[in-house]
Amino acid sequence: MRHAFYLSWRHLCHYRIRSLVLIACLSLMGALPVALHALLDQGERHLLSRAKDTPLVIGARASGLDLTLSALYFSNPELPKTTMAELERVENSGWALALPIYSRLRVKGQPLVGVTLDYLDYRQLHIGQGRMMATLGDAVLGADAARSLGLGVGDQLLTTPGNLFDLAGIYPLKLNITGLLEKQHTPDDQAIFIDLKTAWIIEGLGHGHEPPAPPSAHGANPAIQGSPATYTEITPENLASFHFHGDPGTYPISAVLAVPDNHRAATLLRGRYLDETQPGQLVEPLAVTRNLLDNIFRIRELFDVILALVGLATLLALSLVFWLSLRMRRGEMQTLFLLGSSRLTLFRLILAESLLLALASLALGALWIQLAQRGLGESALKFLTNG
Amino acid sequence: MNPRLLSMRTLTRAGMVITALVTWPGMTAQAGEGHPMTIVAANYPLAYFAERLGGEWVRVSLPVPADEDPAYWQPDSKTIQAMQQADLVALNGADYEQWLNLISLPRRKRVDTSAAFRSRYLVIKEAVTHSHGGSGTHSHDGTASTTWLDFSQAIQQSTALAAAMIRQRPDLQRTIEQNQTFLTADLLALDAAMQRVADQLHGQTVMASHPVYQYLARRYGLNLESVHWEPQEMPAATEWTALRERLSRHPAQLMVWEDTPSNGIRQALTGLNLKPVDFLPCANRPRHGNFLSVMRANIANLEATITSPQNTQTQKPRNSKGRSQ
């Protein structure tokens, strides 16, 4: 059999183009469904893990899926807002740790997320470089956000309106990058985190300005000289001049992540949001995510059928190629037979060639799967969560 | 040696070792497992309450420099970092911490000790902007924040602090609850003593050098009139004129001060038949003593001034004429 393998190897090497095409076809045919399943499994694991880490989400009454994706993946900035009163309602219940999230903002395509430090603690987001945000205007970057923006500790990032005609859009504020977070392989890597109060300043709910000028020598009232200039950068010198207007209970947030103390607390909290006439709603990200995955799995089943049909067609085509190749090699086989090779030897030669092709295809297929898992895992997650 | 005696001795020694191990703080459930709880307090009364409640199991810091009023202090970045890393940040509430909206602190670690009586906050209107030496101007407009001078509110604040400490460190629950009983007893005693002294005033007007005694006045029924004076800064002539005018409408014989006024001010007050009384709010750590001893001294000062012969003589006709004078 060793000789048969040698002769087959030489034969495959001689017709290397044909051999490579065959190996590529076979490997892709085998790897494609496996890689697709592996990617979806990886996406499912990521989605479920994030959902399990976030037991309950409370927000304005809208699509539960949109609320979940906005709170967990910072997608869908147009989601209706809820208020800090909802956060206080959860906090005052004493049943859960309440984490506010403001995920309406974007800077250069990256989500600009307003949180309290409790969120970073809860998600175990640790500072890799620099320090944690300390005052208004400070920001810390997720690992991927820092890489894609090309920013580091000590740099500044200007928040800009979404478009030129967005007159009521976000307030231009220079953010001071104080730290970079360690990579977590979660959507937090994509985000720029700021304090919730900084997000409200960007929204225009708070501001700092120069103290009003004293009356001029001509006795002009500063009130009729125009409003004092509003700062667009928060510095240690002007920090104390920043203030907020209005009732803090009405300040907007996108959602409240609620982490109940125990099962009983979770049940009691759910009970508070059963009334569908009230403005707030409570969703369970795990249930919402499972529902989303069920839909994805239905699509996967369709994919499987299509892939099976394509695979069958490819297999038939390859069989034809193999059979035609044997037909073309009929003269070569006849020569070997005349030289004294038995029918068994000829069968061994064909078997050895088929085995070598199968082995090479398997190896290449495994490589495709590895590359797909490494290179496309997070892309698949992004695809699933951003749509 | 008698083997029975030996075994008795061995048993006794073993018993002593076991008793020592069991009663040793490090071996009990109240050990405060791990590191001591770190608490950053926004003012001295809260620091004192935390020290009393946690005893040796807490490390309390009051980051405000000794010569600054915590109500107008701003934390630097190092202090903010310390606050972020602390187990608990004890806040007075009632807008006392003007820096709270300017910095990033975990909500979970913050305890607003006056939240329970938020609906009873007092609002100061038409306050005057003034300065303390070279430390810049400020105004007392907004919410009155010297909440702890009403000792019943101080009890509520210490209770809120104790609950937050237990939430952070359930292993210290028994220690904190025991200490809370003693602290509450001390504060109740202050409350009763202050009420007794306030009753001796029989409604007569008391002048205050600074608008920081609102809750004291409300709790103990003081008829209080405030000016905006500093103990070491001689008020301008116009302010003395304004005081005289005020005294003509609200006759008073006592004037409470945040700190001992200068000799010049004392002499001028004596000329107006106004006795200065030191009643320290104790917002920052005192040079001597502690919160309890300062408050006891405040009450004793007030009582001594009320019951002094001169005051008693001048009080009699006032009492006979009633409050309409």
Side-chain angles (χ1 to χ4, degrees), chain A residues 84 87 91 97 117-118 121 133-136 195 197 239-240 242, chain B residues 74 77 80-81 84 100-110 118:
Chain A
M84 283 295 279
L87 174 87
E91 279 183 338
L97 169 67
L117 294 187
D118 307 273
D121 278 350
M133 51 193 171
T135 60
L136 294 178
D195 192 281
K197 296 183 287 285
L239 176 66
F242 276 80
Chain B
Q74 294 284 339
S77 58
I80 295 169
Q81 214 170 352
Q84 289 175 347
L100 193 60
N101 271 340
L102 308 176
I103 72 169
S104 301
L105 276 185
R107 287 176 75 90
R108 191 171 48 86
K109 291 181 178 180
R110 290 169 9 185
R118 188 175 287 159

PDB file of all heavy atoms in Angstrom, chain A residues 84 87 91 97 117-118 121 133-136 195 197 239-240 242, chain B residues 74 77 80-81 84 100-110 118:
ATOM      1  N   MET A  84     -34.659  59.479  35.347  1.00  0.00           N
ATOM      2  CA  MET A  84     -33.974  59.083  36.585  1.00  0.00           C
ATOM      3  C   MET A  84     -34.975  58.677  37.673  1.00  0.00           C
ATOM      4  O   MET A  84     -34.618  57.969  38.608  1.00  0.00           O
ATOM      5  CB  MET A  84     -33.098  60.223  37.090  1.00  0.00           C
ATOM      6  CG  MET A  84     -31.798  60.390  36.332  1.00  0.00           C
ATOM      7  SD  MET A  84     -30.707  58.980  36.523  1.00  0.00           S
ATOM      8  CE  MET A  84     -29.951  59.322  38.099  1.00  0.00           C
ATOM      9  N   LEU A  87     -35.061  55.080  37.839  1.00  0.00           N
ATOM     10  CA  LEU A  87     -33.896  54.538  38.559  1.00  0.00           C
ATOM     11  C   LEU A  87     -34.126  54.625  40.069  1.00  0.00           C
ATOM     12  O   LEU A  87     -33.889  53.652  40.807  1.00  0.00           O
ATOM     13  CB  LEU A  87     -32.638  55.322  38.185  1.00  0.00           C
ATOM     14  CG  LEU A  87     -31.385  54.941  38.969  1.00  0.00           C
ATOM     15  CD1 LEU A  87     -30.664  53.790  38.302  1.00  0.00           C
ATOM     16  CD2 LEU A  87     -30.440  56.114  39.129  1.00  0.00           C
ATOM     17  N   GLU A  91     -34.119  51.845  43.002  1.00  0.00           N
ATOM     18  CA  GLU A  91     -33.211  51.994  44.150  1.00  0.00           C
ATOM     19  C   GLU A  91     -33.988  52.019  45.469  1.00  0.00           C
ATOM     20  O   GLU A  91     -33.602  51.366  46.434  1.00  0.00           O
ATOM     21  CB  GLU A  91     -32.401  53.283  44.014  1.00  0.00           C
ATOM     22  CG  GLU A  91     -31.213  53.149  43.092  1.00  0.00           C
ATOM     23  CD  GLU A  91     -30.377  54.419  43.023  1.00  0.00           C
ATOM     24  OE1 GLU A  91     -30.890  55.508  43.338  1.00  0.00           O
ATOM     25  OE2 GLU A  91     -29.217  54.316  42.642  1.00  0.00           O
ATOM     26  N   LEU A  97     -29.755  46.156  42.664  1.00  0.00           N
ATOM     27  CA  LEU A  97     -28.746  47.154  42.302  1.00  0.00           C
ATOM     28  C   LEU A  97     -29.214  47.758  40.984  1.00  0.00           C
ATOM     29  O   LEU A  97     -29.527  47.030  40.039  1.00  0.00           O
ATOM     30  CB  LEU A  97     -27.386  46.466  42.124  1.00  0.00           C
ATOM     31  CG  LEU A  97     -26.258  47.287  41.501  1.00  0.00           C
ATOM     32  CD1 LEU A  97     -25.844  48.408  42.442  1.00  0.00           C
ATOM     33  CD2 LEU A  97     -25.057  46.404  41.198  1.00  0.00           C
ATOM     34  N   LEU A 117     -20.122  54.862  37.889  1.00  0.00           N
ATOM     35  CA  LEU A 117     -18.995  53.931  38.058  1.00  0.00           C
ATOM     36  C   LEU A 117     -19.467  52.538  38.460  1.00  0.00           C
ATOM     37  O   LEU A 117     -18.741  51.566  38.282  1.00  0.00           O
ATOM     38  CB  LEU A 117     -18.018  54.472  39.109  1.00  0.00           C
ATOM     39  CG  LEU A 117     -17.284  55.756  38.736  1.00  0.00           C
ATOM     40  CD1 LEU A 117     -16.237  56.088  39.778  1.00  0.00           C
ATOM     41  CD2 LEU A 117     -16.637  55.671  37.370  1.00  0.00           C
ATOM     42  N   ASP A 118     -20.692  52.459  38.981  1.00  0.00           N
ATOM     43  CA  ASP A 118     -21.227  51.148  39.374  1.00  0.00           C
ATOM     44  C   ASP A 118     -21.285  50.209  38.165  1.00  0.00           C
ATOM     45  O   ASP A 118     -21.080  49.004  38.302  1.00  0.00           O
ATOM     46  CB  ASP A 118     -22.645  51.302  39.936  1.00  0.00           C
ATOM     47  CG  ASP A 118     -22.705  52.327  41.040  1.00  0.00           C
ATOM     48  OD1 ASP A 118     -22.464  51.973  42.182  1.00  0.00           O
ATOM     49  OD2 ASP A 118     -22.973  53.499  40.750  1.00  0.00           O
ATOM     50  N   ASP A 121     -17.900  48.778  37.546  1.00  0.00           N
ATOM     51  CA  ASP A 121     -17.632  47.783  38.605  1.00  0.00           C
ATOM     52  C   ASP A 121     -18.382  46.489  38.315  1.00  0.00           C
ATOM     53  O   ASP A 121     -17.820  45.403  38.399  1.00  0.00           O
ATOM     54  CB  ASP A 121     -18.117  48.312  39.971  1.00  0.00           C
ATOM     55  CG  ASP A 121     -17.107  49.242  40.604  1.00  0.00           C
ATOM     56  OD1 ASP A 121     -15.983  49.307  40.087  1.00  0.00           O
ATOM     57  OD2 ASP A 121     -17.437  49.903  41.597  1.00  0.00           O
ATOM     58  N   MET A 133     -12.278  57.758  35.219  1.00  0.00           N
ATOM     59  CA  MET A 133     -12.799  59.125  35.119  1.00  0.00           C
ATOM     60  C   MET A 133     -13.086  59.655  36.524  1.00  0.00           C
ATOM     61  O   MET A 133     -13.537  58.900  37.388  1.00  0.00           O
ATOM     62  CB  MET A 133     -14.056  59.153  34.257  1.00  0.00           C
ATOM     63  CG  MET A 133     -15.126  58.167  34.618  1.00  0.00           C
ATOM     64  SD  MET A 133     -16.341  58.068  33.285  1.00  0.00           S
ATOM     65  CE  MET A 133     -17.321  56.667  33.803  1.00  0.00           C
ATOM     66  N   ALA A 134     -12.789  60.925  36.728  1.00  0.00           N
ATOM     67  CA  ALA A 134     -12.936  61.496  38.071  1.00  0.00           C
ATOM     68  C   ALA A 134     -13.902  62.666  38.093  1.00  0.00           C
ATOM     69  O   ALA A 134     -14.684  62.796  39.023  1.00  0.00           O
ATOM     70  CB  ALA A 134     -11.572  61.929  38.595  1.00  0.00           C
ATOM     71  N   THR A 135     -13.854  63.513  37.072  1.00  0.00           N
ATOM     72  CA  THR A 135     -14.726  64.699  37.081  1.00  0.00           C
ATOM     73  C   THR A 135     -15.519  64.780  35.786  1.00  0.00           C
ATOM     74  O   THR A 135     -15.302  63.983  34.863  1.00  0.00           O
ATOM     75  CB  THR A 135     -13.902  65.989  37.233  1.00  0.00           C
ATOM     76  OG1 THR A 135     -12.998  66.063  36.139  1.00  0.00           O
ATOM     77  CG2 THR A 135     -13.131  66.021  38.525  1.00  0.00           C
ATOM     78  N   LEU A 136     -16.418  65.755  35.717  1.00  0.00           N
ATOM     79  CA  LEU A 136     -17.183  65.987  34.490  1.00  0.00           C
ATOM     80  C   LEU A 136     -16.207  66.173  33.331  1.00  0.00           C
ATOM     81  O   LEU A 136     -15.168  66.800  33.491  1.00  0.00           O
ATOM     82  CB  LEU A 136     -18.027  67.254  34.624  1.00  0.00           C
ATOM     83  CG  LEU A 136     -19.150  67.260  35.650  1.00  0.00           C
ATOM     84  CD1 LEU A 136     -19.828  68.629  35.649  1.00  0.00           C
ATOM     85  CD2 LEU A 136     -20.159  66.179  35.370  1.00  0.00           C
ATOM     86  N   ASP A 195     -19.238  59.834  32.426  1.00  0.00           N
ATOM     87  CA  ASP A 195     -20.164  59.884  33.554  1.00  0.00           C
ATOM     88  C   ASP A 195     -21.536  60.313  33.029  1.00  0.00           C
ATOM     89  O   ASP A 195     -21.638  61.086  32.080  1.00  0.00           O
ATOM     90  CB  ASP A 195     -19.654  60.891  34.596  1.00  0.00           C
ATOM     91  CG  ASP A 195     -20.405  60.777  35.903  1.00  0.00           C
ATOM     92  OD1 ASP A 195     -21.534  61.289  36.001  1.00  0.00           O
ATOM     93  OD2 ASP A 195     -19.856  60.164  36.819  1.00  0.00           O
ATOM     94  N   LYS A 197     -23.534  62.339  34.184  1.00  0.00           N
ATOM     95  CA  LYS A 197     -23.730  63.791  34.262  1.00  0.00           C
ATOM     96  C   LYS A 197     -23.071  64.488  33.063  1.00  0.00           C
ATOM     97  O   LYS A 197     -23.569  65.486  32.569  1.00  0.00           O
ATOM     98  CB  LYS A 197     -23.152  64.327  35.584  1.00  0.00           C
ATOM     99  CG  LYS A 197     -23.874  63.777  36.812  1.00  0.00           C
ATOM    100  CD  LYS A 197     -23.358  64.355  38.094  1.00  0.00           C
ATOM    101  CE  LYS A 197     -22.002  63.849  38.492  1.00  0.00           C
ATOM    102  NZ  LYS A 197     -21.936  62.494  39.022  1.00  0.00           N
ATOM    103  N   LEU A 239     -14.490  74.005  36.316  1.00  0.00           N
ATOM    104  CA  LEU A 239     -15.318  72.867  36.748  1.00  0.00           C
ATOM    105  C   LEU A 239     -16.433  73.299  37.708  1.00  0.00           C
ATOM    106  O   LEU A 239     -17.592  72.910  37.551  1.00  0.00           O
ATOM    107  CB  LEU A 239     -14.427  71.803  37.406  1.00  0.00           C
ATOM    108  CG  LEU A 239     -15.144  70.597  37.991  1.00  0.00           C
ATOM    109  CD1 LEU A 239     -15.796  69.766  36.897  1.00  0.00           C
ATOM    110  CD2 LEU A 239     -14.171  69.723  38.788  1.00  0.00           C
ATOM    111  N   ALA A 240     -16.062  74.144  38.682  1.00  0.00           N
ATOM    112  CA  ALA A 240     -17.034  74.526  39.717  1.00  0.00           C
ATOM    113  C   ALA A 240     -18.195  75.337  39.157  1.00  0.00           C
ATOM    114  O   ALA A 240     -19.238  75.444  39.797  1.00  0.00           O
ATOM    115  CB  ALA A 240     -16.325  75.306  40.818  1.00  0.00           C
ATOM    116  N   PHE A 242     -19.919  74.555  36.566  1.00  0.00           N
ATOM    117  CA  PHE A 242     -20.908  73.687  35.904  1.00  0.00           C
ATOM    118  C   PHE A 242     -22.054  73.360  36.856  1.00  0.00           C
ATOM    119  O   PHE A 242     -21.839  73.097  38.042  1.00  0.00           O
ATOM    120  CB  PHE A 242     -20.236  72.412  35.377  1.00  0.00           C
ATOM    121  CG  PHE A 242     -19.617  72.624  34.026  1.00  0.00           C
ATOM    122  CD1 PHE A 242     -18.376  73.233  33.912  1.00  0.00           C
ATOM    123  CD2 PHE A 242     -20.289  72.262  32.880  1.00  0.00           C
ATOM    124  CE1 PHE A 242     -17.813  73.475  32.676  1.00  0.00           C
ATOM    125  CE2 PHE A 242     -19.730  72.496  31.634  1.00  0.00           C
ATOM    126  CZ  PHE A 242     -18.494  73.101  31.528  1.00  0.00           C
TER     127      PHE A 242
ATOM    128  N   GLN B  74     -13.818  71.795  47.831  1.00  0.00           N
ATOM    129  CA  GLN B  74     -13.876  71.026  46.577  1.00  0.00           C
ATOM    130  C   GLN B  74     -12.801  69.947  46.627  1.00  0.00           C
ATOM    131  O   GLN B  74     -11.645  70.260  46.900  1.00  0.00           O
ATOM    132  CB  GLN B  74     -13.580  71.940  45.375  1.00  0.00           C
ATOM    133  CG  GLN B  74     -14.617  73.020  45.120  1.00  0.00           C
ATOM    134  CD  GLN B  74     -15.879  72.484  44.463  1.00  0.00           C
ATOM    135  OE1 GLN B  74     -15.869  71.426  43.847  1.00  0.00           O
ATOM    136  NE2 GLN B  74     -16.975  73.199  44.615  1.00  0.00           N
ATOM    137  N   SER B  77      -8.207  65.706  42.674  1.00  0.00           N
ATOM    138  CA  SER B  77      -8.299  64.410  41.978  1.00  0.00           C
ATOM    139  C   SER B  77      -7.849  63.243  42.873  1.00  0.00           C
ATOM    140  O   SER B  77      -8.400  62.142  42.792  1.00  0.00           O
ATOM    141  CB  SER B  77      -7.484  64.433  40.685  1.00  0.00           C
ATOM    142  OG  SER B  77      -6.153  64.740  40.971  1.00  0.00           O
ATOM    143  N   ILE B  80     -10.722  62.450  45.079  1.00  0.00           N
ATOM    144  CA  ILE B  80     -11.795  61.779  44.318  1.00  0.00           C
ATOM    145  C   ILE B  80     -11.450  60.300  44.157  1.00  0.00           C
ATOM    146  O   ILE B  80     -12.290  59.415  44.320  1.00  0.00           O
ATOM    147  CB  ILE B  80     -11.988  62.452  42.937  1.00  0.00           C
ATOM    148  CG1 ILE B  80     -12.473  63.884  43.118  1.00  0.00           C
ATOM    149  CG2 ILE B  80     -12.983  61.669  42.084  1.00  0.00           C
ATOM    150  CD1 ILE B  80     -12.449  64.714  41.852  1.00  0.00           C
ATOM    151  N   GLN B  81     -10.178  60.045  43.860  1.00  0.00           N
ATOM    152  CA  GLN B  81      -9.729  58.652  43.701  1.00  0.00           C
ATOM    153  C   GLN B  81      -9.935  57.876  45.010  1.00  0.00           C
ATOM    154  O   GLN B  81     -10.402  56.734  44.995  1.00  0.00           O
ATOM    155  CB  GLN B  81      -8.260  58.649  43.325  1.00  0.00           C
ATOM    156  CG  GLN B  81      -7.909  57.522  42.389  1.00  0.00           C
ATOM    157  CD  GLN B  81      -6.510  57.680  41.834  1.00  0.00           C
ATOM    158  OE1 GLN B  81      -5.849  58.707  42.023  1.00  0.00           O
ATOM    159  NE2 GLN B  81      -6.042  56.660  41.163  1.00  0.00           N
ATOM    160  N   GLN B  84     -13.527  57.100  45.371  1.00  0.00           N
ATOM    161  CA  GLN B  84     -13.951  56.016  44.471  1.00  0.00           C
ATOM    162  C   GLN B  84     -13.543  54.655  45.010  1.00  0.00           C
ATOM    163  O   GLN B  84     -14.220  53.659  44.784  1.00  0.00           O
ATOM    164  CB  GLN B  84     -13.335  56.223  43.076  1.00  0.00           C
ATOM    165  CG  GLN B  84     -13.942  57.392  42.315  1.00  0.00           C
ATOM    166  CD  GLN B  84     -13.247  57.665  40.992  1.00  0.00           C
ATOM    167  OE1 GLN B  84     -12.157  57.155  40.724  1.00  0.00           O
ATOM    168  NE2 GLN B  84     -13.862  58.483  40.161  1.00  0.00           N
ATOM    169  N   LEU B 100     -20.767  67.312  44.554  1.00  0.00           N
ATOM    170  CA  LEU B 100     -21.277  65.983  44.211  1.00  0.00           C
ATOM    171  C   LEU B 100     -21.637  65.854  42.731  1.00  0.00           C
ATOM    172  O   LEU B 100     -21.445  64.798  42.131  1.00  0.00           O
ATOM    173  CB  LEU B 100     -22.488  65.667  45.084  1.00  0.00           C
ATOM    174  CG  LEU B 100     -22.948  64.215  45.087  1.00  0.00           C
ATOM    175  CD1 LEU B 100     -21.860  63.291  45.577  1.00  0.00           C
ATOM    176  CD2 LEU B 100     -24.194  64.056  45.935  1.00  0.00           C
ATOM    177  N   ASN B 101     -22.145  66.934  42.127  1.00  0.00           N
ATOM    178  CA  ASN B 101     -22.533  66.873  40.709  1.00  0.00           C
ATOM    179  C   ASN B 101     -21.354  67.061  39.774  1.00  0.00           C
ATOM    180  O   ASN B 101     -21.522  67.025  38.561  1.00  0.00           O
ATOM    181  CB  ASN B 101     -23.587  67.950  40.408  1.00  0.00           C
ATOM    182  CG  ASN B 101     -24.979  67.421  40.640  1.00  0.00           C
ATOM    183  OD1 ASN B 101     -25.188  66.204  40.664  1.00  0.00           O
ATOM    184  ND2 ASN B 101     -25.922  68.309  40.826  1.00  0.00           N
ATOM    185  N   LEU B 102     -20.179  67.292  40.324  1.00  0.00           N
ATOM    186  CA  LEU B 102     -19.023  67.590  39.476  1.00  0.00           C
ATOM    187  C   LEU B 102     -18.073  66.407  39.352  1.00  0.00           C
ATOM    188  O   LEU B 102     -17.149  66.436  38.549  1.00  0.00           O
ATOM    189  CB  LEU B 102     -18.250  68.799  40.039  1.00  0.00           C
ATOM    190  CG  LEU B 102     -19.078  70.062  40.318  1.00  0.00           C
ATOM    191  CD1 LEU B 102     -18.205  71.133  40.949  1.00  0.00           C
ATOM    192  CD2 LEU B 102     -19.698  70.583  39.032  1.00  0.00           C
ATOM    193  N   ILE B 103     -18.275  65.379  40.155  1.00  0.00           N
ATOM    194  CA  ILE B 103     -17.324  64.267  40.155  1.00  0.00           C
ATOM    195  C   ILE B 103     -18.026  62.929  39.922  1.00  0.00           C
ATOM    196  O   ILE B 103     -19.242  62.830  40.025  1.00  0.00           O
ATOM    197  CB  ILE B 103     -16.496  64.226  41.468  1.00  0.00           C
ATOM    198  CG1 ILE B 103     -17.369  63.763  42.641  1.00  0.00           C
ATOM    199  CG2 ILE B 103     -15.883  65.567  41.775  1.00  0.00           C
ATOM    200  CD1 ILE B 103     -16.559  63.446  43.883  1.00  0.00           C
ATOM    201  N   SER B 104     -17.221  61.916  39.616  1.00  0.00           N
ATOM    202  CA  SER B 104     -17.767  60.575  39.363  1.00  0.00           C
ATOM    203  C   SER B 104     -17.597  59.717  40.606  1.00  0.00           C
ATOM    204  O   SER B 104     -16.468  59.442  41.026  1.00  0.00           O
ATOM    205  CB  SER B 104     -17.017  59.915  38.196  1.00  0.00           C
ATOM    206  OG  SER B 104     -17.135  60.683  37.042  1.00  0.00           O
ATOM    207  N   LEU B 105     -18.732  59.323  41.169  1.00  0.00           N
ATOM    208  CA  LEU B 105     -18.705  58.445  42.344  1.00  0.00           C
ATOM    209  C   LEU B 105     -19.706  57.317  42.133  1.00  0.00           C
ATOM    210  O   LEU B 105     -20.789  57.565  41.603  1.00  0.00           O
ATOM    211  CB  LEU B 105     -19.134  59.209  43.598  1.00  0.00           C
ATOM    212  CG  LEU B 105     -18.115  60.027  44.363  1.00  0.00           C
ATOM    213  CD1 LEU B 105     -18.748  60.584  45.620  1.00  0.00           C
ATOM    214  CD2 LEU B 105     -16.904  59.190  44.735  1.00  0.00           C
ATOM    215  N   PRO B 106     -19.396  56.112  42.550  1.00  0.00           N
ATOM    216  CA  PRO B 106     -20.394  55.044  42.411  1.00  0.00           C
ATOM    217  C   PRO B 106     -21.597  55.328  43.311  1.00  0.00           C
ATOM    218  O   PRO B 106     -21.420  55.674  44.480  1.00  0.00           O
ATOM    219  CB  PRO B 106     -19.656  53.787  42.889  1.00  0.00           C
ATOM    220  CG  PRO B 106     -18.229  54.170  43.012  1.00  0.00           C
ATOM    221  CD  PRO B 106     -18.163  55.645  43.181  1.00  0.00           C
ATOM    222  N   ARG B 107     -22.800  55.214  42.749  1.00  0.00           N
ATOM    223  CA  ARG B 107     -24.012  55.469  43.552  1.00  0.00           C
ATOM    224  C   ARG B 107     -24.130  54.462  44.686  1.00  0.00           C
ATOM    225  O   ARG B 107     -24.614  54.769  45.760  1.00  0.00           O
ATOM    226  CB  ARG B 107     -25.256  55.358  42.661  1.00  0.00           C
ATOM    227  CG  ARG B 107     -25.442  56.509  41.720  1.00  0.00           C
ATOM    228  CD  ARG B 107     -26.633  56.267  40.816  1.00  0.00           C
ATOM    229  NE  ARG B 107     -27.901  56.444  41.485  1.00  0.00           N
ATOM    230  CZ  ARG B 107     -28.564  57.594  41.549  1.00  0.00           C
ATOM    231  NH1 ARG B 107     -28.066  58.662  40.976  1.00  0.00           N
ATOM    232  NH2 ARG B 107     -29.733  57.676  42.160  1.00  0.00           N
ATOM    233  N   ARG B 108     -23.671  53.223  44.411  1.00  0.00           N
ATOM    234  CA  ARG B 108     -23.798  52.133  45.383  1.00  0.00           C
ATOM    235  C   ARG B 108     -23.014  52.426  46.667  1.00  0.00           C
ATOM    236  O   ARG B 108     -23.378  51.962  47.737  1.00  0.00           O
ATOM    237  CB  ARG B 108     -23.257  50.851  44.722  1.00  0.00           C
ATOM    238  CG  ARG B 108     -23.508  49.573  45.422  1.00  0.00           C
ATOM    239  CD  ARG B 108     -23.096  48.423  44.524  1.00  0.00           C
ATOM    240  NE  ARG B 108     -21.777  48.613  43.925  1.00  0.00           N
ATOM    241  CZ  ARG B 108     -20.634  48.285  44.504  1.00  0.00           C
ATOM    242  NH1 ARG B 108     -20.630  47.775  45.706  1.00  0.00           N
ATOM    243  NH2 ARG B 108     -19.486  48.468  43.881  1.00  0.00           N
ATOM    244  N   LYS B 109     -21.951  53.211  46.535  1.00  0.00           N
ATOM    245  CA  LYS B 109     -21.102  53.475  47.700  1.00  0.00           C
ATOM    246  C   LYS B 109     -21.501  54.751  48.432  1.00  0.00           C
ATOM    247  O   LYS B 109     -20.903  55.105  49.429  1.00  0.00           O
ATOM    248  CB  LYS B 109     -19.643  53.595  47.257  1.00  0.00           C
ATOM    249  CG  LYS B 109     -19.042  52.291  46.784  1.00  0.00           C
ATOM    250  CD  LYS B 109     -17.594  52.491  46.400  1.00  0.00           C
ATOM    251  CE  LYS B 109     -16.959  51.183  45.975  1.00  0.00           C
ATOM    252  NZ  LYS B 109     -15.555  51.379  45.599  1.00  0.00           N
ATOM    253  N   ARG B 110     -22.477  55.463  47.887  1.00  0.00           N
ATOM    254  CA  ARG B 110     -22.860  56.746  48.495  1.00  0.00           C
ATOM    255  C   ARG B 110     -24.025  56.531  49.436  1.00  0.00           C
ATOM    256  O   ARG B 110     -24.918  55.749  49.145  1.00  0.00           O
ATOM    257  CB  ARG B 110     -23.297  57.734  47.413  1.00  0.00           C
ATOM    258  CG  ARG B 110     -22.172  58.196  46.569  1.00  0.00           C
ATOM    259  CD  ARG B 110     -22.539  58.953  45.328  1.00  0.00           C
ATOM    260  NE  ARG B 110     -23.909  59.356  45.132  1.00  0.00           N
ATOM    261  CZ  ARG B 110     -24.330  59.936  44.007  1.00  0.00           C
ATOM    262  NH1 ARG B 110     -23.472  60.194  43.038  1.00  0.00           N
ATOM    263  NH2 ARG B 110     -25.574  60.270  43.869  1.00  0.00           N
ATOM    264  N   ARG B 118     -35.878  64.416  53.829  1.00  0.00           N
ATOM    265  CA  ARG B 118     -35.740  65.312  52.671  1.00  0.00           C
ATOM    266  C   ARG B 118     -36.939  66.259  52.553  1.00  0.00           C
ATOM    267  O   ARG B 118     -36.783  67.429  52.200  1.00  0.00           O
ATOM    268  CB  ARG B 118     -35.622  64.456  51.410  1.00  0.00           C
ATOM    269  CG  ARG B 118     -35.287  65.225  50.165  1.00  0.00           C
ATOM    270  CD  ARG B 118     -35.073  64.292  49.000  1.00  0.00           C
ATOM    271  NE  ARG B 118     -33.804  63.574  49.106  1.00  0.00           N
ATOM    272  CZ  ARG B 118     -33.531  62.446  48.475  1.00  0.00           C
ATOM    273  NH1 ARG B 118     -34.435  61.889  47.716  1.00  0.00           N
ATOM    274  NH2 ARG B 118     -32.360  61.864  48.600  1.00  0.00           N
TER     275      ARG B 118
END
